[in-house]
Amino acid sequence: MAKLTNRFWFQLHGWFSLPVWLIFCFVCLTGTVAVFSHELTWLTNPAARAGNPDNLPARPIPELVARVQQQFPTADISTVMVFEPYLVHVVAFTDHDKPYALAYINPYSGEIQQVNQGQTFIGFMRSLHGWLLFPWQNGYSVGYYLVSAMAIVMLGALITGLIVYKNFWRSFVRPQLRWRQGKKTLLTDLHRLAGVWSIWFLLLMSATGLWYLTQAVLWHADIDIEPHTPVVSAATLPNSADARRLDLAAALDIAQQRFPDFQPSYLLLPEHQRGMYTLMGGGDHIFYDRLAYTLSINPWTGEIASEKSPANMNTWQTIMHLADPLHYGTLAGLWTKTLWFIFGLLLTGMSITGFLLWHGRTQYAIRRSRHTTDLSEADYEAS
């Protein structure tokens, strides 16, 4: 009975991974690369680098927006994105000859270094890993479901693997890697060793992946995790044609006064007369993402119409803003990114070694079956 039980768990361990092996491996690999998407952008695109040889202080964001407006007088600026200090700020706008464009502006010199009207590397890698570039229709993407469902595969493979691999904790104190006992033995040792040392990482990726799957279901069901940005009430719009809206600098000052540790990262400007400033950013909480603070500010009165911060989030919102830093390893900058990258490579390697082991056993079983059949036929003919 024990042998049947062990065989059952072993087969289940294989079936948790093998039917979707190629997708699982691809998701692991793209996620590993996506961890360093910002650094790779800096490496591959000189126009995205925020060079500062003279050690100048960063210019105010409103001044950079004004630079773009001067360069493109007829442009309608909608969004400002702030990344790491070594990358440019990105100002998104539309113009009569540009349906959608991104101005890469150096935050120290104020120079517009590039106008990008295509896909960015950061956006491409996150889309490739997040939903395999499947289109979004009616608020959902089949690719997003497919990728996030890999969390079930990962968790199932982890649980069954620990059941199959008896006394797995010995790999922590006495790691074994037998180089000279054949390919199969080496692959088995590599697969087991990587799996045991990656238990924490597998649990973390499974938990965040299950959250992304839950989030997809909520989106598909039109259940809002965060409320939509409010609009200015028509009754409160100014009657005078001379009324002036607050500029971006004033809106940022209001946000800074409300949350002293507010660090802007994603700023949406009003799109119409009833539109509001929607300012998103991070703070001093390392476990929350860079969108944990959100303020909607009335551009006519300066009133904060709605706000969100780690102090007043509900449970769903808290999980939502904790998931990305834990999934991509942005908790402590380059150090945790490097750690996540290494274990991402291990996870990708585990999927490959697991497939090779399965392929080897399958080939052996086929050869054995053929050999048994040949012997049976020979015995029949002899009789």
Side-chain angles (χ1 to χ4, degrees):
M1 186 65 183
K3 290 184 178 180
L4 290 176
T5 303
N6 288 338
R7 184 179 180 184
F8 167 77
W9 287 114
F10 184 81
Q11 290 177 338
L12 187 60
H13 177 69
W15 280 109
F16 261 116
S17 305
L18 295 176
V20 290
W21 171 81
L22 189 59
I23 298 175
F24 182 76
C25 183
F26 185 77
V27 169
C28 293
L29 182 60
T30 54
T32 301
V33 176
V35 167
F36 278 138
S37 58
H38 289 188
E39 288 75 10
L40 289 172
T41 296
W42 182 92
L43 185 66
T44 58
N45 185 4
R49 302 172 188 170
N52 188 19
D54 299 324
N55 292 322
L56 299 172
R59 295 171 182 263
I61 293 175
E63 180 182 331
L64 302 178
V65 173
R67 290 281 184 103
V68 176
Q69 196 72 72
Q70 291 170 4
Q71 182 79 16
F72 304 97
T74 59
D76 183 13
I77 296 174
S78 60
T79 311
V80 182
M81 290 168 274
V82 180
F83 300 100
E84 281 85 350
Y86 55 82
L87 290 177
V88 294
H89 289 5
V90 176
V91 179
F93 66 94
T94 59
D95 209 344
H96 59 86
D97 60 342
K98 297 178 179 63
Y100 183 75
L102 302 173
Y104 292 3
I105 184 165
N106 190 310
Y108 308 106
S109 66
E111 175 189 359
I112 299 176
Q113 299 180 170
Q114 185 182 27
V115 175
N116 184 356
Q117 297 187 64
Q119 176 71 277
T120 66
F121 181 76
I122 296 172
F124 173 77
M125 284 309 306
R126 294 297 173 96
S127 301
L128 184 62
H129 173 65
W131 50 89
L132 304 175
L133 300 181
F134 276 67
W136 284 79
Q137 297 176 338
N138 300 321
Y140 77 96
S141 168
V142 173
Y144 193 94
Y145 277 112
L146 193 59
V147 171
S148 54
M150 292 299 104
I152 301 174
V153 172
M154 191 181 304
L155 186 60
L158 172 61
I159 294 172
T160 54
L162 293 179
I163 293 173
V164 170
Y165 186 18
K166 306 298 183 183
N167 303 322
F168 64 87
W169 54 85
R170 291 177 180 173
S171 290
F172 290 117
V173 293
R174 288 184 298 180
Q176 187 179 41
L177 205 57
R178 294 166 288 183
W179 297 91
R180 300 178 181 179
Q181 297 186 25
K183 177 183 175 182
K184 178 183 175 182
T185 302
L186 178 59
L187 288 176
T188 301
D189 287 348
L190 285 171
H191 189 74
R192 288 177 174 177
L193 195 61
V196 170
W197 282 86
S198 301
I199 289 174
W200 70 273
F201 190 73
L202 288 163
L203 286 172
L204 189 59
M205 293 302 105
S206 298
T208 52
L210 288 173
W211 161 249
Y212 293 137
L213 180 60
T214 303
Q215 185 174 251
V217 173
L218 293 174
W219 284 342
H220 202 169
D222 291 328
I223 299 175
D224 294 325
I225 301 173
E226 294 185 337
H228 292 284
T229 302
V231 296
V232 177
S233 171
T236 61
L237 286 174
N239 297 322
S240 172
D242 297 330
R244 297 179 61 85
R245 293 195 307 192
L246 271 72
D247 58 16
L248 179 58
L252 285 170
D253 285 342
I254 293 171
Q256 206 74 56
Q257 291 172 12
R258 180 65 187 89
F259 299 117
D261 60 342
F262 179 76
Q263 300 168 10
S265 61
Y266 196 82
L267 313 177
L268 294 169
L269 280 60
E271 296 182 357
H272 44 75
Q273 289 292 91
R274 296 181 61 187
M276 293 198 181
Y277 285 105
T278 302
L279 310 182
M280 307 179 193
D284 291 336
H285 304 275
I286 66 169
F287 288 104
Y288 287 87
D289 63 16
R290 299 179 73 244
L291 304 174
Y293 292 86
T294 301
L295 300 97
S296 297
I297 299 176
N298 188 320
W300 303 106
T301 64
E303 175 191 2
I304 299 176
S306 67
E307 65 176 59
K308 179 204 67 192
S309 70
N312 61 14
M313 288 180 184
N314 61 35
T315 301
W316 291 116
Q317 292 169 347
T318 300
I319 297 173
M320 179 179 179
H321 290 283
L322 291 175
D324 273 7
L326 293 173
H327 193 76
Y328 290 102
T330 57
L331 301 170
L334 190 59
W335 292 104
T336 48
K337 283 185 178 183
T338 302
L339 185 64
W340 261 241
F341 181 81
I342 292 171
F343 278 91
L345 289 178
L346 284 177
L347 189 54
T348 305
M350 284 172 58
S351 67
I352 295 173
T353 56
F355 175 78
L356 293 175
L357 289 169
W358 171 84
H359 179 72
R361 290 190 180 96
T362 303
Q363 292 298 313
Y364 174 76
I366 292 173
R367 289 195 300 268
R368 185 177 179 181
S369 177
R370 287 175 179 174
H371 180 66
T372 303
T373 302
D374 291 342
L375 288 177
S376 299
E377 290 177 353
D379 291 342
Y380 175 77
E381 291 173 358
S383 63

